[in-house]
Amino acid sequence: MRHIVNRRFLTVLTVLLTCGMGLLSGQVPEKPYPPRLVNDLAGMLTQAENDSLEEELVKYDFRTSTQICVVTLNDLGGMDIMSLAYKIGESWGVGNEANNGVVLLIKNKTRDSRGEVAIATGYGTEGILTDAVCRRLIEDDILPHFREGRSYEGIHQACQHIEGLLDGEFEFEEEEPDIWVVFGIMIILAIVAIVFFALLIKYSKNHPDGGGGKGPTIIIGPGSGLFGGGGRSGLGSFGGGGFSGGFGGFGGGHFGGGGAHGSW
Amino acid sequence: MAKSISKSTLILIAVIAVIALWGVSTYNSLVTADESVTNAWSQVENVYQRRMDLIPNLVKTVQGAADFERNTLSDVIEARSKASSVQIDANNLTEENLAAFQQAQDGLSAALNRLMVVVERYPELKANQNFIELQSQLEGTENRITVERQKYNDVVKTYNAGVRKFPRNIIASLFNFDTKAYFKAAEGADKAPEVDFNF
């Protein structure tokens, strides 16, 4: 008797754990770690399509700082799709300082429910991606393809359209290292160095072998890393020279609840 | 010349200085929290205003196609003027004021909902490009209202906690920082609305 109960308990536990990738009722999906812009939780894309879209969106983020995040789900957990899209955007922090994030949320069509799609726009994108524009994107770019079962084409066309619309609007702010911070750090380092050398000299005078020619071999050269150079600094971002692949992370953009939705 | 200040006087001065510094920093943080509330409130007002601005166009579009629905339309117009007459200054976010504001806005929401239900009976209207756009703008605005109300509530929560906790509440009452009111949540605001077609 006990044996059977344990088995059942294990099955239930396993089922609950595997639901972790989707949604337990009323919850927002977990922020992906490592961070990804394309989160195909409903398996609507092939691996190749997923990778190609991810690469395109990551490049776009790198070039313009605008983050377009795609999420597909099989179940909304009872939530309204626009609320969920907003919550994903806000809680994952899609977009950078300019609040230029866009969330494209798709709930796949199932045997007993319609498919739904929503676009949630970050505050900064609302001027261009108005509610009406989002509605058009859904009607013209997404739904026609989705009705024919072409998920990738629908998503890709919408993303390209959004990329085009937002092109030139946003760019990364070059973070100039604060001159006073740099100055302050240099002063502190100078003091530390002086104290260090003073102690060293004092110590070596007392030491029988000390003094004379043996000098310290410590290199105090923090290099460009400490002062941040001219590139972007800050948590989760990813600057420097060329594009070397990989999404640097969500930038903490905020959302206002705008956008549009549709179904098929 | 008297001898140097006694030790206990020095200690007293030090204690007073510490209290004064704490007082100043508490006051400043209350001001910051207050400013956040004012900011959040103006965001709320913005999105409600956005809704107000959509209504004249909506009424005009519906009037063209659904001439029989005069009552429903005039309800909306009336509710809109009532809502625009209830304004609150950020310094007066008391329970009664906010309740009155919320009631007026909810009245407008109800009138709009009734209008949308009625429109279901007019297929030409539902297919009208202008109407479709207005509808999606209205929906977007309703979402924004929900979002800004939530953000406002969150900010007020932080502010109220700052104003009520001890010992900060001493500074708060000294300088007349009152607690601010919250928006009351609508029932099931997160659930997808069900449209019932059986009147």
PDB file of all heavy atoms in Angstrom, chain A residues 105-133:
ATOM      1  N   LEU A 105       4.500  37.947 -27.318  1.00  0.00           N
ATOM      2  CA  LEU A 105       4.083  36.748 -26.585  1.00  0.00           C
ATOM      3  C   LEU A 105       3.075  35.966 -27.419  1.00  0.00           C
ATOM      4  O   LEU A 105       2.097  36.519 -27.917  1.00  0.00           O
ATOM      5  CB  LEU A 105       3.449  37.156 -25.250  1.00  0.00           C
ATOM      6  CG  LEU A 105       2.837  36.036 -24.404  1.00  0.00           C
ATOM      7  CD1 LEU A 105       3.905  35.045 -23.969  1.00  0.00           C
ATOM      8  CD2 LEU A 105       2.161  36.616 -23.171  1.00  0.00           C
ATOM      9  N   ILE A 106       3.338  34.677 -27.575  1.00  0.00           N
ATOM     10  CA  ILE A 106       2.434  33.845 -28.370  1.00  0.00           C
ATOM     11  C   ILE A 106       1.964  32.662 -27.549  1.00  0.00           C
ATOM     12  O   ILE A 106       2.781  31.958 -26.945  1.00  0.00           O
ATOM     13  CB  ILE A 106       3.158  33.311 -29.625  1.00  0.00           C
ATOM     14  CG1 ILE A 106       3.562  34.489 -30.521  1.00  0.00           C
ATOM     15  CG2 ILE A 106       2.267  32.374 -30.415  1.00  0.00           C
ATOM     16  CD1 ILE A 106       4.962  34.435 -30.963  1.00  0.00           C
ATOM     17  N   LYS A 107       0.651  32.485 -27.511  1.00  0.00           N
ATOM     18  CA  LYS A 107       0.133  31.261 -26.898  1.00  0.00           C
ATOM     19  C   LYS A 107      -0.338  30.395 -28.038  1.00  0.00           C
ATOM     20  O   LYS A 107      -1.228  30.772 -28.788  1.00  0.00           O
ATOM     21  CB  LYS A 107      -1.022  31.557 -25.952  1.00  0.00           C
ATOM     22  CG  LYS A 107      -1.612  30.249 -25.393  1.00  0.00           C
ATOM     23  CD  LYS A 107      -2.962  30.409 -24.784  1.00  0.00           C
ATOM     24  CE  LYS A 107      -4.097  29.811 -25.580  1.00  0.00           C
ATOM     25  NZ  LYS A 107      -3.909  28.474 -26.109  1.00  0.00           N
ATOM     26  N   ASN A 108       0.253  29.241 -28.164  1.00  0.00           N
ATOM     27  CA  ASN A 108      -0.039  28.385 -29.292  1.00  0.00           C
ATOM     28  C   ASN A 108      -1.488  27.896 -29.274  1.00  0.00           C
ATOM     29  O   ASN A 108      -2.096  27.740 -28.218  1.00  0.00           O
ATOM     30  CB  ASN A 108       0.917  27.176 -29.278  1.00  0.00           C
ATOM     31  CG  ASN A 108       1.097  26.589 -30.662  1.00  0.00           C
ATOM     32  OD1 ASN A 108       0.467  27.047 -31.621  1.00  0.00           O
ATOM     33  ND2 ASN A 108       1.950  25.599 -30.774  1.00  0.00           N
ATOM     34  N   LYS A 109      -1.999  27.650 -30.476  1.00  0.00           N
ATOM     35  CA  LYS A 109      -3.347  27.095 -30.602  1.00  0.00           C
ATOM     36  C   LYS A 109      -3.291  25.650 -30.114  1.00  0.00           C
ATOM     37  O   LYS A 109      -2.356  24.915 -30.406  1.00  0.00           O
ATOM     38  CB  LYS A 109      -3.708  27.124 -32.083  1.00  0.00           C
ATOM     39  CG  LYS A 109      -5.111  26.739 -32.387  1.00  0.00           C
ATOM     40  CD  LYS A 109      -5.345  27.017 -33.868  1.00  0.00           C
ATOM     41  CE  LYS A 109      -6.801  26.878 -34.236  1.00  0.00           C
ATOM     42  NZ  LYS A 109      -7.109  27.586 -35.462  1.00  0.00           N
ATOM     43  N   THR A 110      -4.278  25.267 -29.314  1.00  0.00           N
ATOM     44  CA  THR A 110      -4.323  23.873 -28.877  1.00  0.00           C
ATOM     45  C   THR A 110      -5.651  23.285 -29.328  1.00  0.00           C
ATOM     46  O   THR A 110      -6.490  23.980 -29.890  1.00  0.00           O
ATOM     47  CB  THR A 110      -4.233  23.747 -27.344  1.00  0.00           C
ATOM     48  OG1 THR A 110      -5.408  24.348 -26.779  1.00  0.00           O
ATOM     49  CG2 THR A 110      -2.999  24.441 -26.808  1.00  0.00           C
ATOM     50  N   ARG A 111      -5.827  22.022 -29.021  1.00  0.00           N
ATOM     51  CA  ARG A 111      -7.066  21.334 -29.412  1.00  0.00           C
ATOM     52  C   ARG A 111      -8.307  22.053 -28.912  1.00  0.00           C
ATOM     53  O   ARG A 111      -9.302  22.173 -29.607  1.00  0.00           O
ATOM     54  CB  ARG A 111      -7.065  19.897 -28.878  1.00  0.00           C
ATOM     55  CG  ARG A 111      -7.155  18.861 -29.980  1.00  0.00           C
ATOM     56  CD  ARG A 111      -7.130  17.443 -29.455  1.00  0.00           C
ATOM     57  NE  ARG A 111      -6.289  17.268 -28.293  1.00  0.00           N
ATOM     58  CZ  ARG A 111      -6.715  16.783 -27.131  1.00  0.00           C
ATOM     59  NH1 ARG A 111      -7.961  16.455 -26.960  1.00  0.00           N
ATOM     60  NH2 ARG A 111      -5.881  16.640 -26.118  1.00  0.00           N
ATOM     61  N   ASP A 112      -8.238  22.564 -27.670  1.00  0.00           N
ATOM     62  CA  ASP A 112      -9.447  23.203 -27.171  1.00  0.00           C
ATOM     63  C   ASP A 112      -9.340  24.708 -26.913  1.00  0.00           C
ATOM     64  O   ASP A 112     -10.136  25.268 -26.176  1.00  0.00           O
ATOM     65  CB  ASP A 112      -9.967  22.507 -25.892  1.00  0.00           C
ATOM     66  CG  ASP A 112      -8.901  21.700 -25.227  1.00  0.00           C
ATOM     67  OD1 ASP A 112      -8.015  22.302 -24.596  1.00  0.00           O
ATOM     68  OD2 ASP A 112      -8.939  20.462 -25.345  1.00  0.00           O
ATOM     69  N   SER A 113      -8.352  25.369 -27.492  1.00  0.00           N
ATOM     70  CA  SER A 113      -8.339  26.829 -27.327  1.00  0.00           C
ATOM     71  C   SER A 113      -7.715  27.511 -28.530  1.00  0.00           C
ATOM     72  O   SER A 113      -6.848  26.941 -29.205  1.00  0.00           O
ATOM     73  CB  SER A 113      -7.569  27.214 -26.062  1.00  0.00           C
ATOM     74  OG  SER A 113      -6.218  26.853 -26.204  1.00  0.00           O
ATOM     75  N   ARG A 114      -8.141  28.713 -28.753  1.00  0.00           N
ATOM     76  CA  ARG A 114      -7.590  29.500 -29.849  1.00  0.00           C
ATOM     77  C   ARG A 114      -6.134  29.871 -29.545  1.00  0.00           C
ATOM     78  O   ARG A 114      -5.732  29.912 -28.394  1.00  0.00           O
ATOM     79  CB  ARG A 114      -8.392  30.799 -30.015  1.00  0.00           C
ATOM     80  CG  ARG A 114      -9.784  30.618 -30.555  1.00  0.00           C
ATOM     81  CD  ARG A 114     -10.507  31.952 -30.558  1.00  0.00           C
ATOM     82  NE  ARG A 114      -9.980  32.882 -31.545  1.00  0.00           N
ATOM     83  CZ  ARG A 114     -10.348  32.922 -32.832  1.00  0.00           C
ATOM     84  NH1 ARG A 114     -11.252  32.077 -33.277  1.00  0.00           N
ATOM     85  NH2 ARG A 114      -9.826  33.806 -33.667  1.00  0.00           N
ATOM     86  N   GLY A 115      -5.407  30.141 -30.605  1.00  0.00           N
ATOM     87  CA  GLY A 115      -4.068  30.676 -30.394  1.00  0.00           C
ATOM     88  C   GLY A 115      -4.209  32.168 -30.136  1.00  0.00           C
ATOM     89  O   GLY A 115      -5.127  32.811 -30.631  1.00  0.00           O
ATOM     90  N   GLU A 116      -3.311  32.710 -29.338  1.00  0.00           N
ATOM     91  CA  GLU A 116      -3.363  34.145 -29.069  1.00  0.00           C
ATOM     92  C   GLU A 116      -1.967  34.744 -29.183  1.00  0.00           C
ATOM     93  O   GLU A 116      -0.980  34.066 -28.927  1.00  0.00           O
ATOM     94  CB  GLU A 116      -3.879  34.399 -27.651  1.00  0.00           C
ATOM     95  CG  GLU A 116      -5.325  34.005 -27.435  1.00  0.00           C
ATOM     96  CD  GLU A 116      -5.756  34.354 -26.025  1.00  0.00           C
ATOM     97  OE1 GLU A 116      -5.854  35.554 -25.723  1.00  0.00           O
ATOM     98  OE2 GLU A 116      -5.973  33.424 -25.222  1.00  0.00           O
ATOM     99  N   VAL A 117      -1.935  36.015 -29.545  1.00  0.00           N
ATOM    100  CA  VAL A 117      -0.655  36.702 -29.632  1.00  0.00           C
ATOM    101  C   VAL A 117      -0.812  38.094 -29.049  1.00  0.00           C
ATOM    102  O   VAL A 117      -1.870  38.712 -29.186  1.00  0.00           O
ATOM    103  CB  VAL A 117      -0.147  36.750 -31.092  1.00  0.00           C
ATOM    104  CG1 VAL A 117      -1.171  37.394 -32.006  1.00  0.00           C
ATOM    105  CG2 VAL A 117       1.154  37.497 -31.196  1.00  0.00           C
ATOM    106  N   ALA A 118       0.227  38.576 -28.384  1.00  0.00           N
ATOM    107  CA  ALA A 118       0.183  39.936 -27.849  1.00  0.00           C
ATOM    108  C   ALA A 118       1.547  40.590 -28.024  1.00  0.00           C
ATOM    109  O   ALA A 118       2.580  39.922 -27.967  1.00  0.00           O
ATOM    110  CB  ALA A 118      -0.180  39.917 -26.369  1.00  0.00           C
ATOM    111  N   ILE A 119       1.518  41.888 -28.257  1.00  0.00           N
ATOM    112  CA  ILE A 119       2.761  42.668 -28.281  1.00  0.00           C
ATOM    113  C   ILE A 119       2.675  43.652 -27.128  1.00  0.00           C
ATOM    114  O   ILE A 119       1.686  44.385 -27.013  1.00  0.00           O
ATOM    115  CB  ILE A 119       2.901  43.464 -29.598  1.00  0.00           C
ATOM    116  CG1 ILE A 119       2.975  42.515 -30.793  1.00  0.00           C
ATOM    117  CG2 ILE A 119       4.147  44.336 -29.553  1.00  0.00           C
ATOM    118  CD1 ILE A 119       3.081  43.233 -32.129  1.00  0.00           C
ATOM    119  N   ALA A 120       3.690  43.641 -26.257  1.00  0.00           N
ATOM    120  CA  ALA A 120       3.731  44.614 -25.169  1.00  0.00           C
ATOM    121  C   ALA A 120       4.890  45.568 -25.446  1.00  0.00           C
ATOM    122  O   ALA A 120       5.993  45.135 -25.783  1.00  0.00           O
ATOM    123  CB  ALA A 120       3.935  43.907 -23.838  1.00  0.00           C
ATOM    124  N   THR A 121       4.634  46.851 -25.320  1.00  0.00           N
ATOM    125  CA  THR A 121       5.646  47.846 -25.686  1.00  0.00           C
ATOM    126  C   THR A 121       6.196  48.558 -24.460  1.00  0.00           C
ATOM    127  O   THR A 121       5.451  48.951 -23.568  1.00  0.00           O
ATOM    128  CB  THR A 121       5.031  48.902 -26.619  1.00  0.00           C
ATOM    129  OG1 THR A 121       3.825  49.390 -26.029  1.00  0.00           O
ATOM    130  CG2 THR A 121       4.702  48.293 -27.965  1.00  0.00           C
ATOM    131  N   GLY A 122       7.517  48.706 -24.417  1.00  0.00           N
ATOM    132  CA  GLY A 122       8.149  49.468 -23.344  1.00  0.00           C
ATOM    133  C   GLY A 122       7.788  50.942 -23.499  1.00  0.00           C
ATOM    134  O   GLY A 122       7.461  51.387 -24.603  1.00  0.00           O
ATOM    135  N   TYR A 123       7.846  51.682 -22.394  1.00  0.00           N
ATOM    136  CA  TYR A 123       7.490  53.108 -22.406  1.00  0.00           C
ATOM    137  C   TYR A 123       8.143  53.849 -23.572  1.00  0.00           C
ATOM    138  O   TYR A 123       7.512  54.651 -24.248  1.00  0.00           O
ATOM    139  CB  TYR A 123       7.947  53.794 -21.123  1.00  0.00           C
ATOM    140  CG  TYR A 123       7.061  53.591 -19.920  1.00  0.00           C
ATOM    141  CD1 TYR A 123       7.591  53.045 -18.754  1.00  0.00           C
ATOM    142  CD2 TYR A 123       5.733  53.975 -19.918  1.00  0.00           C
ATOM    143  CE1 TYR A 123       6.811  52.871 -17.624  1.00  0.00           C
ATOM    144  CE2 TYR A 123       4.947  53.810 -18.790  1.00  0.00           C
ATOM    145  CZ  TYR A 123       5.493  53.251 -17.642  1.00  0.00           C
ATOM    146  OH  TYR A 123       4.721  53.090 -16.530  1.00  0.00           O
ATOM    147  N   GLY A 124       9.429  53.576 -23.763  1.00  0.00           N
ATOM    148  CA  GLY A 124      10.174  54.336 -24.763  1.00  0.00           C
ATOM    149  C   GLY A 124       9.758  54.070 -26.202  1.00  0.00           C
ATOM    150  O   GLY A 124      10.003  54.888 -27.080  1.00  0.00           O
ATOM    151  N   THR A 125       9.104  52.922 -26.439  1.00  0.00           N
ATOM    152  CA  THR A 125       8.751  52.580 -27.820  1.00  0.00           C
ATOM    153  C   THR A 125       7.336  53.008 -28.174  1.00  0.00           C
ATOM    154  O   THR A 125       6.923  52.902 -29.323  1.00  0.00           O
ATOM    155  CB  THR A 125       8.839  51.060 -28.049  1.00  0.00           C
ATOM    156  OG1 THR A 125       7.864  50.408 -27.242  1.00  0.00           O
ATOM    157  CG2 THR A 125      10.206  50.531 -27.721  1.00  0.00           C
ATOM    158  N   GLU A 126       6.587  53.478 -27.168  1.00  0.00           N
ATOM    159  CA  GLU A 126       5.168  53.749 -27.407  1.00  0.00           C
ATOM    160  C   GLU A 126       4.916  54.798 -28.465  1.00  0.00           C
ATOM    161  O   GLU A 126       3.878  54.786 -29.116  1.00  0.00           O
ATOM    162  CB  GLU A 126       4.483  54.174 -26.104  1.00  0.00           C
ATOM    163  CG  GLU A 126       4.227  53.015 -25.175  1.00  0.00           C
ATOM    164  CD  GLU A 126       3.417  53.405 -23.951  1.00  0.00           C
ATOM    165  OE1 GLU A 126       2.745  54.458 -23.989  1.00  0.00           O
ATOM    166  OE2 GLU A 126       3.466  52.665 -22.959  1.00  0.00           O
ATOM    167  N   GLY A 127       5.862  55.724 -28.618  1.00  0.00           N
ATOM    168  CA  GLY A 127       5.661  56.769 -29.621  1.00  0.00           C
ATOM    169  C   GLY A 127       5.587  56.207 -31.033  1.00  0.00           C
ATOM    170  O   GLY A 127       4.834  56.681 -31.869  1.00  0.00           O
ATOM    171  N   ILE A 128       6.397  55.171 -31.292  1.00  0.00           N
ATOM    172  CA  ILE A 128       6.422  54.587 -32.629  1.00  0.00           C
ATOM    173  C   ILE A 128       5.527  53.357 -32.709  1.00  0.00           C
ATOM    174  O   ILE A 128       4.729  53.202 -33.629  1.00  0.00           O
ATOM    175  CB  ILE A 128       7.867  54.193 -32.996  1.00  0.00           C
ATOM    176  CG1 ILE A 128       8.703  55.446 -33.069  1.00  0.00           C
ATOM    177  CG2 ILE A 128       7.894  53.435 -34.306  1.00  0.00           C
ATOM    178  CD1 ILE A 128      10.138  55.184 -33.378  1.00  0.00           C
ATOM    179  N   LEU A 129       5.675  52.473 -31.712  1.00  0.00           N
ATOM    180  CA  LEU A 129       4.833  51.274 -31.711  1.00  0.00           C
ATOM    181  C   LEU A 129       3.559  51.598 -30.939  1.00  0.00           C
ATOM    182  O   LEU A 129       3.344  51.129 -29.828  1.00  0.00           O
ATOM    183  CB  LEU A 129       5.583  50.113 -31.052  1.00  0.00           C
ATOM    184  CG  LEU A 129       6.839  49.635 -31.748  1.00  0.00           C
ATOM    185  CD1 LEU A 129       7.464  48.499 -30.959  1.00  0.00           C
ATOM    186  CD2 LEU A 129       6.563  49.186 -33.165  1.00  0.00           C
ATOM    187  N   THR A 130       2.714  52.417 -31.575  1.00  0.00           N
ATOM    188  CA  THR A 130       1.456  52.760 -30.913  1.00  0.00           C
ATOM    189  C   THR A 130       0.572  51.519 -30.873  1.00  0.00           C
ATOM    190  O   THR A 130       0.846  50.525 -31.546  1.00  0.00           O
ATOM    191  CB  THR A 130       0.704  53.842 -31.695  1.00  0.00           C
ATOM    192  OG1 THR A 130       0.341  53.286 -32.972  1.00  0.00           O
ATOM    193  CG2 THR A 130       1.551  55.070 -31.905  1.00  0.00           C
ATOM    194  N   ASP A 131      -0.490  51.593 -30.103  1.00  0.00           N
ATOM    195  CA  ASP A 131      -1.398  50.460 -30.009  1.00  0.00           C
ATOM    196  C   ASP A 131      -1.931  50.094 -31.384  1.00  0.00           C
ATOM    197  O   ASP A 131      -2.058  48.917 -31.720  1.00  0.00           O
ATOM    198  CB  ASP A 131      -2.577  50.804 -29.090  1.00  0.00           C
ATOM    199  CG  ASP A 131      -2.131  51.039 -27.662  1.00  0.00           C
ATOM    200  OD1 ASP A 131      -0.938  50.815 -27.366  1.00  0.00           O
ATOM    201  OD2 ASP A 131      -2.967  51.441 -26.850  1.00  0.00           O
ATOM    202  N   ALA A 132      -2.234  51.125 -32.173  1.00  0.00           N
ATOM    203  CA  ALA A 132      -2.777  50.869 -33.503  1.00  0.00           C
ATOM    204  C   ALA A 132      -1.737  50.175 -34.392  1.00  0.00           C
ATOM    205  O   ALA A 132      -2.056  49.233 -35.118  1.00  0.00           O
ATOM    206  CB  ALA A 132      -3.222  52.184 -34.144  1.00  0.00           C
ATOM    207  N   VAL A 133      -0.484  50.632 -34.305  1.00  0.00           N
ATOM    208  CA  VAL A 133       0.586  50.015 -35.091  1.00  0.00           C
ATOM    209  C   VAL A 133       0.763  48.556 -34.690  1.00  0.00           C
ATOM    210  O   VAL A 133       0.922  47.675 -35.543  1.00  0.00           O
ATOM    211  CB  VAL A 133       1.913  50.794 -34.903  1.00  0.00           C
ATOM    212  CG1 VAL A 133       3.096  49.998 -35.402  1.00  0.00           C
ATOM    213  CG2 VAL A 133       1.841  52.127 -35.624  1.00  0.00           C
TER     214      VAL A 133
END
